[in-house]
Amino acid sequence: MKKPPLPVVQIRPLYLARADAAAFLAIGESTFEDLVARGEAPKPRKVSKGRTAWLVEELEAWGRERPESDHLPPKNCGYGRAGTPS
């Protein structure tokens, strides 16, 4: 008799490193660093001696608080072929 497959367990990370935090917010690392430096984005937390990271829930809350945009992505932003949405 065949055993039923085990359920897939996905664990959401608690913290993200700088590059992952920027990718999570869909912005570049330098933009993310500028926002943090200006106090416009969440500050990192001390995870251990010499190690900092960002709480996922704070990044998510900050992202959800961002104002809505009435602008479409620019044509050269990498959407589809020749800048048109695919």
Side-chain angles (χ1 to χ4, degrees):
M1 184 177 205
K2 193 174 181 181
K3 289 183 180 180
L6 295 173
V8 175
V9 178
Q10 293 182 345
I11 299 173
R12 180 178 160 175
L14 182 62
Y15 289 101
L16 293 175
R18 178 186 298 113
D20 297 326
F24 181 76
L25 295 169
I27 58 177
E29 281 186 66
S30 59
T31 300
F32 180 62
E33 289 172 3
D34 289 344
L35 290 167
V36 172
R38 292 193 311 254
E40 296 178 22
K43 298 237 181 254
R45 304 282 185 128
K46 275 189 171 182
V47 178
S48 65
K49 185 178 180 180
R51 176 79 170 155
T52 60
W54 283 260
L55 268 172
V56 171
E57 62 190 40
E58 290 180 352
L59 293 171
E60 192 170 68
W62 179 82
R64 291 184 188 282
E65 292 170 1
R66 306 306 304 155
E68 290 182 0
S69 174
D70 55 355
H71 299 290
L72 293 174
K75 289 187 179 202
N76 63 351
C77 72
Y79 268 87
R81 194 161 214 241
T84 58
S86 36

